Amino acid sequence: MFTLHTDPLHRIAYATDASAYREVPQAVTFPENEQDIVYLIKTACEQKTHLIPRAGGTSIAGQVVGNGIVVDISKHFKKILEINKEERWARVQPGVVLDELNLALEPYGLFFSPETSTSNRCCIGGMFGNNSCGSHSLIYGSTRHHVLEARGVLCDGSIEVFKTYSIRELEERFGNRFWETQSDFLIQNIYTQLIRWSLDEKTVQRIEDNYPDKSLRRRSCGYAIDEVIEDLHNVQKPLEERTINLCKVLAGSEGTLAFITEIKVDLDPLPPKEKMVVCAHCDTLQKSFLGNLVALKFHPTAVELMDRNILELSKQNVEQQKNRFFVLGDPAAILIIELRGETRAEIDAVADQLEKALIENEELLVYACSRVYGSEISKVWSLRKAGLGLLTSMKGDAKPIGVIEDTAVAPEKLPAYMADFAKMLEDLGLSCVYHAHISTGELHLRPIINIKEAEGKRKFREVAYQTALLVKKYKGSLSGEHGDGRLRGEFIQLLYGDEVYGLMQALKRCWDPMRVFNLHKIVDTLPMDSMLRFEVGQQYAIEKELMDGPSTSSGTCHTYYNWKAAFDECKVEGATGARTQLHALMCSIEQCNGAGDCRKSNLIGGTLCPAFKVSGDETKATRARANVLREILTRGWGSEAFTQALNKDKSILKSEEIAEVLDSCLACKGCRSECPSNVDMTRLRSEILQQKYDVNGMPLRSFAVSRMATVEQLGHLVWPIYNLFASWKFSSNIIKRIIKFTTERDIPTLSRVTMRKAVKKECRRHKGQTTKGKVYLFADEFTNYQEAELGLTFAKLLLRLGYEVEIPKHVESGRAAISKGNLKLAKKFALKNVNLLKDKITDQSPLIGIEPSCILSFRDEYPDLVPPKLRSQAQALGRNALLFDEFIMREVAASRISTEDFKTDAVEIWLHGHCHQKALVGTEKTVAALRLLKNAKVNVIPSGCCGMAGSFGYEKEHYKTSLAIGEMVLFPTIRRAMEKTDGVTPCIVSAPGISCRQQILDGTGIHAVHPIEILYRWVK
Ligand SMILES: Cc1cc2nc3c(=O)[nH]c(=O)nc-3n(C[C@H](O)[C@H](O)[C@H](O)COP(=O)(O)OP(=O)(O)OC[C@H]3O[C@@H](n4cnc5c(N)ncnc54)[C@H](O)[C@@H]3O)c2cc1C
Ligand code: SF4
Ligand code: SF4
């Protein structure tokens, strides 16, 4: 049986979706089967409350935000029930994620074709609820066009199957001409209402006159009464043969009519392999609207738009920087035109014609085109799909806001509509971001507005109203795919007129007389500018606390990181920056727009977010962390989520909810690169933890871990005793219990000689024999004490390759202190290292690191930890602090290292990259360095974080989670690889991270090695 969660953590985590709205629900629940839903509906009716069906929670118009009970079906309704290859359909539960369905369909050569940008986390139930579609709606249409049947529960608790029925079949069930009398059966009344409307000429005419252009491929505004009655008033057919499928109106009904428990969808054959995208570069936006009309003549399968703002924002995103390779010059907009065909030659021929038509056009619509083929195409789409998320990474309070982001008009009307739209924006003094599905006349338009200010809030409403008038003028739809929710409902009456709006209200009353399903969405909505995430003039509760607290200096709130620097350096047009460090910190939290990339499962890949992947629990996703931090640091105990007044005198930093969301974060930095809005939870976590310690004191374990290097330094003086103590079960268990570590893992022992000493001795032996220049090694605290042999191996490798090696004077990196939130300590290490190394480390003599997380601190954290006057020097140092593989590949590029330096013996390598490395620089260079071994077969394990994440996997309460994370992809891949080896070619598991190697050993019993060790074994 399911639980009703009424605790503040759940209520806060579910108070938002990907919209501008926030309303704390009464409770959250995760039903396990259809009977649970029936029970919930009956109970909600009795208690006079309402249910908000929720899937991935990626809606942009506030569809899943409300004060009822949120019913999350994404956890237990995840089964693909049946796939029929011959008849090309699948029957699924509503919580199945679109990409996961398509992965399952791939072996059948089929797929579910409406592909939303959120395909890796949105669910089929949510797509049905919103009538979603995607970039290829030009050829595939929207979800409504693909749902054959659905099963669901009505407000009286009855279970219904919604599919195509003829009037004859309905009469067999309800009686002859049943629509002429009123019934006690809810479902009969539902059919009766629609049949009566369809038989009334005036009503049909009213609908035809007031609904948007029939030619519009995308339409998700209001209830689709016109579509559901289309065949019912087909006068060509005898009445009893006319049909009705209620799925047509359920699609896009946003959970306001029924609770869906199963969906049967039709499938399309996988598209032909041969594809290409032509990226047409325009120097004005208006030219791109006209260019689209030219492109459409060449029968593309998609045409999408990205404007300059999006392209600029993509420069700041680690993941998307790699996907900008096709951009030429500084375009005002790019049209991404996809062509498909049976052969490359066939597509090239069309592309030649297309480019000619665009470039040689009288109006010079396009100044350049780049063509992208094969696997590279996915990078272009990835950049395009990241667009909406990238927008919220704009730094400061003004954001490209979702308010009119989904209008659609017939494509040929787009240039005129856009001209009127630009004029309206000018009158309102607003600028705007334009992108997305131009081929179908739909553009995601996001004016940049600061709704924290009264004037911004006024413009939020005004721009919505003015746009609704324009959309009406062009007979378009206010929403093409995102739905109405609580954002657009207010303008449906204006768009469709009083009578049609009246029909929509009547429809809702007929289906849901008990008012139990998702109230105040589509019809009878609350004012569109109520219940917004941000209130005008709202103060941050945390500000008052920090002013009064120990970290105050001269009347301003002190933060440990320099949060403001990134805001000051942001060059994106319209970015408003931050007033103070605290403001910058809060804006960094507010960058989470709720788009939900952090809800990807392990089937989808990537690192973000291991804590969610392993649990499927929203409260463990990055989004929940950001929501909880934003809510509590802003509203404090005043948040409606806290029902008890008991807390009032307690510091909000002592909130259990903050503690809980930070505790489940592994600090893997997956979000740092994969969250399109650049929400960097690792960094936020450290800052908030240190602020908490200031109020609460630091727990013993955090203190001990952050001081680990000091313990090891002292232990090294008596290393045999230390090692005996650490490896003897009895004594080590005492320590583990004191610091709350699991007794299932071994504490690392110390090397006999430190790396520093061993390397110094080796270098002395080679003095004067090297020719290729000098490099400095960073003897990080882990390698120095625990794996000195590895450090020595690296020095030997570099010496063998002809480099002079020296370990400069430095202190520990502070990695452990950063990850435990001991920022006071980390700042000291950062400052010392920057001062010690800033004048020594140059482009010519870089600092090279072995342990990725340590050396990357120089680049990622140090510039924001040192005093502002040292920032630029710290940045320069960071640029020359290289991972071992970055150095090797730099030298390969300069022809100082080559494959000739290595033996040719065959080897198979299975590489697991460190998560910080993946987040900040990627594993490409490690792979390239290993491929210097001519006969090496390098396989990259598609793992995210290994689950160990520094000390996380050692911690008693996290031990099982840590292993479960390893079990998702990493361990099974290694086991399979080892089973498959031929026993002749060496098969090696390699991981540059020390904790990853320990995790692999604990999880699989296999000793993984650092890539440096492989290179050394193969160097000539
Ligand atoms: C960055 C970004 C990009 C986007 N791009 C696109 C795009 O390209 N195309 C597009 O169409 N949309 C897009 N969207 C909007 C959104 O992602 C889609 O509408 C998506 O299909 C919603 O799915 P979900 O699982 O998140 O549903 P949710 O947001 O959880 O729910 C959507 C609606 O369905 C209802 N619902 C869910 N489950 C049930 C059920 N079992 N029974 C009854 N009602 C139910 C909910 O009440 C709600 O009204 C985008 C959103 C973001 C944030
Ligand atoms: S944390 Fe990032 S990925 Fe997750 S919802 Fe927020 S913005 Fe999206
Ligand atoms: S750092 Fe890792 S665990 Fe923490 S929120 Fe980001 S992705 Fe999730």
Side-chain angles (χ1 to χ4, degrees):
M1 188 63 175
F2 61 91
T3 312
L4 216 53
H5 299 272
T6 52
D7 55 282
L9 174 60
H10 277 91
R11 294 176 65 211
I12 294 173
Y14 282 86
T16 57
D17 49 14
S19 69
Y21 296 98
R22 166 208 164 270
E23 194 169 4
V24 179
Q26 281 172 320
V28 178
T29 185
F30 307 92
E32 291 174 19
N33 51 47
E34 195 173 66
Q35 276 317 306
D36 285 350
I37 289 176
V38 172
Y39 176 80
L40 269 167
I41 291 172
K42 288 189 173 160
T43 314
C45 287
E46 279 163 25
Q47 304 289 324
K48 302 217 173 334
T49 183
H50 66 110
L51 305 178
I52 304 159
R54 170 161 165 149
T58 64
S59 287
I60 296 184
Q63 284 92 323
V64 291
V65 177
N67 62 6
I69 298 172
V70 174
V71 186
D72 183 345
I73 46 91
S74 69
K75 201 160 179 178
H76 299 299
F77 283 76
K78 293 188 73 68
K79 285 200 196 90
I80 297 174
L81 301 165
E82 207 180 341
I83 296 173
N84 188 318
K85 185 178 174 188
E86 286 66 41
E87 294 174 16
R88 298 211 315 227
W89 54 258
R91 200 162 55 82
V92 301
Q93 291 187 323
V96 171
V97 168
L98 172 58
D99 276 359
E100 293 180 20
L101 173 63
N102 282 337
L103 274 176
L105 291 170
E106 210 175 295
Y108 299 88
L110 297 170
F111 81 123
F112 181 56
S113 54
E115 19 81 280
T116 65
S117 303
T118 44
S119 59
N120 55 14
R121 70 272 190 197
C122 77
C123 306
I124 306 297
M127 293 181 71
F128 188 38
N130 284 352
N131 185 32
S132 300
C133 51
S135 312
H136 294 90
S137 60
L138 195 58
I139 48 172
Y140 295 125
S142 66
T143 304
R144 180 177 293 129
H145 303 122
H146 296 270
V147 175
L148 302 171
E149 276 180 42
R151 183 182 159 104
V153 189
L154 294 174
C155 77
D156 60 355
S158 59
I159 296 169
E160 270 300 320
V161 174
F162 310 103
K163 61 178 191 176
T164 304
Y165 292 109
S166 65
I167 296 270
R168 181 182 296 121
E169 285 168 315
L170 291 176
E171 284 188 310
E172 280 164 17
R173 182 174 173 193
F174 302 122
N176 271 358
R177 300 189 76 83
F178 65 90
W179 58 88
E180 288 174 356
T181 51
Q182 204 57 26
S183 151
D184 290 337
F185 290 114
L186 177 59
I187 186 65
Q188 186 173 332
N189 288 340
I190 289 170
Y191 282 111
T192 293
Q193 183 185 57
L194 292 168
I195 293 172
R196 283 187 189 170
W197 285 347
S198 71
L199 297 179
D200 177 37
E201 267 317 305
K202 269 196 196 146
T203 308
V204 172
Q205 196 55 50
R206 213 168 280 145
I207 290 172
E208 253 173 37
D209 291 346
N210 289 290
Y211 268 68
D213 273 341
K214 269 229 162 328
S215 65
L216 269 186
R217 296 290 288 161
R218 296 165 161 269
R219 205 151 57 74
S220 280
C221 187
Y223 294 117
I225 301 175
D226 60 334
E227 299 232 12
V228 73
I229 63 167
E230 194 171 16
D231 201 50
L232 286 180
H233 66 86
N234 180 353
V235 286
Q236 311 297 329
K237 279 188 185 173
L239 184 61
E240 65 279 10
E241 283 176 26
R242 296 182 200 170
T243 59
I244 176 167
N245 186 339
L246 294 180
C247 291
K248 297 269 182 242
V249 73
L250 279 166
S253 66
E254 302 180 2
T256 60
L257 301 181
F259 208 119
I260 302 302
T261 53
E262 266 181 44
I263 304 170
K264 181 174 165 186
V265 291
D266 74 5
L267 306 170
D268 278 287
L270 283 171
K273 284 259 171 309
E274 216 49 76
K275 276 191 270 186
M276 169 215 284
V277 292
V278 174
C279 302
H281 295 55
C282 308
D283 54 18
T284 68
L285 264 171
Q286 194 62 20
K287 287 186 181 176
S288 70
F289 308 140
L290 296 167
N292 172 49
L293 297 178
V294 175
L296 285 173
K297 293 184 189 147
F298 293 83
H299 309 293
T301 43
V303 187
E304 297 275 302
L305 177 90
M306 273 190 299
D307 78 352
R308 180 180 281 134
N309 286 299
I310 303 238
L311 292 166
E312 274 304 310
L313 286 165
S314 67
K315 287 183 188 164
Q316 295 170 19
N317 184 276
V318 184
E319 192 70 9
Q320 295 307 333
Q321 278 163 9
K322 302 175 202 157
N323 297 334
R324 304 182 81 258
F325 63 96
F326 61 90
V327 181
L328 305 170
D330 180 25
I334 294 184
L335 289 170
I336 306 169
I337 308 162
E338 188 190 81
L339 302 169
R340 289 182 188 170
E342 291 308 320
T343 62
R344 167 80 67 97
E346 181 194 320
I347 311 178
D348 270 329
V350 179
D352 290 345
Q353 297 291 320
L354 168 66
E355 288 184 10
K356 196 163 180 274
L358 288 169
I359 297 176
E360 292 176 14
N361 180 290
E362 253 179 32
E363 294 174 64
L364 302 172
L365 294 177
V366 162
Y367 71 80
C369 284
S370 48
R371 291 186 192 182
V372 183
Y373 299 91
S375 58
E376 296 285 283
I377 293 177
S378 62
K379 296 185 185 167
V380 180
W381 285 127
S382 169
L383 184 66
R384 158 50 207 104
K385 282 187 178 189
L388 209 52
L390 287 173
L391 292 177
T392 32
S393 67
M394 186 175 269
K395 303 239 181 272
D397 288 334
K399 296 273 182 221
I401 204 149
V403 52
I404 47 162
E405 85 300 340
D406 202 32
T407 65
V409 299
E412 58 282 8
K413 295 182 183 168
L414 200 56
Y417 167 53
M418 282 292 105
D420 281 356
F421 178 80
K423 167 88 180 54
M424 172 197 72
L425 282 188
E426 199 185 321
D427 292 347
L428 287 172
L430 291 171
S431 60
C432 184
V433 176
Y434 301 71
H435 71 131
H437 320 295
I438 192 167
S439 62
T440 44
E442 162 152 3
L443 281 181
H444 292 333
L445 308 162
R446 292 215 165 208
I448 299 166
I449 302 182
N450 178 2
I451 55 166
K452 290 181 180 173
E453 289 175 352
E455 179 58 6
K457 193 170 169 188
R458 188 191 68 76
K459 286 186 178 172
F460 180 68
R461 164 172 285 283
E462 190 57 22
V463 77
Y465 172 69
Q466 299 277 352
T467 305
L469 291 178
L470 282 183
V471 169
K472 189 175 170 75
K473 173 176 166 190
Y474 290 97
K475 225 168 164 5
S477 176
L478 268 185
S479 166
E481 58 183 20
H482 294 166
D484 303 315
R486 48 201 304 165
L487 175 63
R488 283 173 269 269
E490 194 181 324
F491 302 104
I492 295 179
Q493 192 163 4
L494 186 155
L495 196 74
Y496 289 78
D498 296 347
E499 286 168 329
V500 171
Y501 183 68
L503 293 179
M504 292 185 187
Q505 286 176 308
L507 181 102
K508 165 74 180 172
R509 276 197 304 276
C510 177
W511 282 73
D512 186 21
M514 310 298 290
R515 292 168 53 82
V516 73
F517 292 128
N518 211 4
L519 287 193
H520 309 306
K521 313 287 154 58
I522 303 183
V523 289
D524 306 321
T525 50
L526 302 172
M528 55 83 74
D529 49 1
S530 59
M531 297 291 172
L532 293 173
R533 255 180 211 225
F534 306 112
E535 284 175 13
V536 171
Q538 188 160 38
Q539 301 293 310
Y540 295 124
I542 187 69
E543 187 159 7
K544 188 171 175 311
E545 279 209 8
L546 294 190
M547 285 286 207
D548 301 341
S551 57
T552 308
S553 63
S554 58
T556 58
C557 296
H558 173 73
T559 61
Y560 290 89
Y561 277 110
N562 183 355
W563 293 93
K564 198 165 170 296
F567 286 72
D568 294 345
E569 287 162 10
C570 175
K571 296 280 173 289
V572 178
E573 202 188 323
T576 45
R579 295 183 300 277
T580 61
Q581 289 292 350
L582 183 79
H583 185 213
L585 165 66
M586 290 307 295
C587 286
S588 304
I589 297 170
E590 290 163 3
Q591 257 165 234
C592 172
N593 62 353
D597 280 83
C598 45
R599 281 183 53 100
K600 291 179 297 186
S601 79
N602 62 325
L603 292 175
I604 306 296
T607 302
L608 178 67
C609 166
F612 173 80
K613 283 184 181 190
V614 74
S615 62
D617 185 346
E618 170 79 30
T619 63
K620 295 197 166 50
T622 320
R623 171 165 78 174
R625 291 187 186 94
N627 278 335
V628 166
L629 290 178
R630 192 197 62 244
E631 178 76 12
I632 301 183
L633 299 185
T634 307
R635 294 169 196 256
W637 302 124
S639 163
E640 306 91 295
F642 298 106
T643 42
Q644 296 181 352
L646 293 174
N647 292 322
K648 271 194 177 152
D649 298 330
K650 205 165 80 174
S651 160
I652 53 173
L653 287 165
K654 290 188 181 175
S655 124
E656 285 162 26
E657 294 70 30
I658 290 184
E660 198 166 334
V661 291
L662 296 186
D663 178 67
S664 63
C665 171
L666 287 90
C668 67
K669 297 198 185 184
C671 43
R672 166 85 167 75
S673 66
E674 291 175 35
C675 161
S677 299
N678 301 338
V679 173
D680 186 350
M681 194 47 69
T682 308
R683 183 173 291 211
L684 289 165
R685 179 179 169 276
S686 309
E687 176 75 46
I688 305 297
L689 282 176
Q690 179 63 75
Q691 300 281 359
K692 263 166 75 71
Y693 300 155
D694 288 347
V695 176
N696 240 2
M698 191 183 303
L700 176 65
R701 182 169 69 194
S702 303
F703 178 78
V705 172
S706 57
R707 282 287 183 185
M708 199 62 193
T710 317
V711 174
E712 292 189 336
Q713 189 185 9
L714 295 172
H716 198 264
L717 299 173
V718 286
W719 69 266
I721 303 171
Y722 180 99
N723 282 358
L724 189 69
F725 206 72
S727 46
W728 186 36
K729 223 177 173 57
F730 178 73
S731 50
S732 73
N733 279 356
I734 295 177
I735 307 210
K736 289 176 204 161
R737 288 205 175 96
I738 293 174
I739 58 170
K740 296 190 184 150
F741 268 17
T742 174
T743 51
E744 303 291 325
R745 294 195 198 259
D746 294 333
I747 296 181
T749 51
L750 304 181
S751 306
R752 208 169 142 227
V753 180
T754 62
M755 167 184 167
R756 195 176 267 281
K757 260 198 186 151
V759 170
K760 202 169 177 185
K761 197 167 156 204
E762 184 69 19
C763 292
R764 240 185 269 130
R765 289 201 314 119
H766 290 261
K767 210 167 172 72
Q769 299 168 15
T770 49
T771 52
K772 292 186 186 163
K774 181 161 185 172
V775 294
Y776 290 99
L777 289 198
F778 185 68
D780 67 81
E781 50 276 24
F782 303 105
T783 319
N784 191 40
Y785 295 115
Q786 297 170 23
E787 297 208 323
E789 194 58 36
L790 169 63
L792 179 61
T793 302
F794 190 32
K796 285 182 181 169
L797 174 69
L798 291 168
L799 289 164
R800 187 85 66 86
L801 290 169
Y803 295 88
E804 186 188 343
V805 175
E806 185 185 325
I807 300 183
K809 197 162 182 254
H810 66 75
V811 294
E812 65 172 276
S813 70
R815 183 75 254 155
I818 293 172
S819 74
K820 288 304 285 160
N822 191 347
L823 289 185
K824 282 184 180 164
L825 184 63
K827 278 174 91 76
K828 286 185 192 154
F829 294 136
L831 182 60
K832 273 197 186 153
N833 275 334
V834 171
N835 276 328
L836 285 168
L837 297 168
K838 66 180 172 22
D839 300 324
K840 194 164 241 168
I841 303 302
T842 63
D843 186 26
Q844 298 305 308
S845 45
L847 182 71
I848 316 175
I850 298 169
E851 174 57 29
S853 60
C854 293
I855 194 74
L856 288 172
S857 309
F858 281 80
R859 216 177 296 172
D860 195 27
E861 280 102 354
Y862 281 13
D864 294 324
L865 283 175
V866 296
K869 62 176 188 307
L870 271 183
R871 181 175 168 81
S872 59
Q873 281 153 311
Q875 282 173 323
L877 176 59
R879 279 193 294 276
N880 293 317
L882 306 178
L883 276 169
F884 72 96
D885 51 349
E886 291 181 300
F887 171 72
I888 287 180
M889 293 319 294
R890 191 189 86 162
E891 295 302 283
V892 168
S895 307
R896 286 190 285 264
I897 297 179
S898 76
T899 51
E900 299 311 315
D901 293 314
F902 297 91
K903 293 182 235 168
T904 54
D905 309 11
V907 58
E908 178 159 13
I909 301 165
W910 288 83
L911 177 72
H912 163 75
H914 187 284
C915 47
H916 289 189
Q917 173 192 14
K918 285 178 196 156
L920 298 170
V921 291
T923 48
E924 291 82 359
K925 290 197 173 140
T926 321
V927 174
L930 288 169
R931 290 206 172 125
L932 289 171
L933 281 47
K934 262 190 193 148
N935 291 314
K937 182 172 177 224
V938 186
N939 309 288
V940 180
I941 303 176
S943 46
C945 172
C946 71
M948 185 66 108
S951 67
F952 182 88
Y954 281 96
E955 294 163 5
K956 201 174 159 206
E957 70 282 17
H958 296 139
Y959 171 65
K960 283 195 180 139
T961 306
S962 158
L963 284 186
I965 293 173
E967 247 356 300
M968 289 192 298
V969 177
L970 180 61
F971 300 163
T973 313
I974 290 177
R975 288 189 202 112
R976 272 197 305 274
M978 288 300 148
E979 274 162 26
K980 275 205 242 145
T981 72
D982 58 13
V984 181
T985 312
C987 183
I988 303 177
V989 178
S990 183
I994 187 168
S995 11
C996 313
R997 293 195 291 276
Q998 185 62 47
Q999 174 79 329
I1000 291 170
L1001 182 64
D1002 291 351
T1004 65
I1006 287 162
H1007 281 273
V1009 300
H1010 195 293
I1012 285 170
E1013 292 175 76
I1014 304 178
L1015 292 174
Y1016 184 66
R1017 265 175 68 185
W1018 261 256
V1019 73
K1020 283 180 184 165

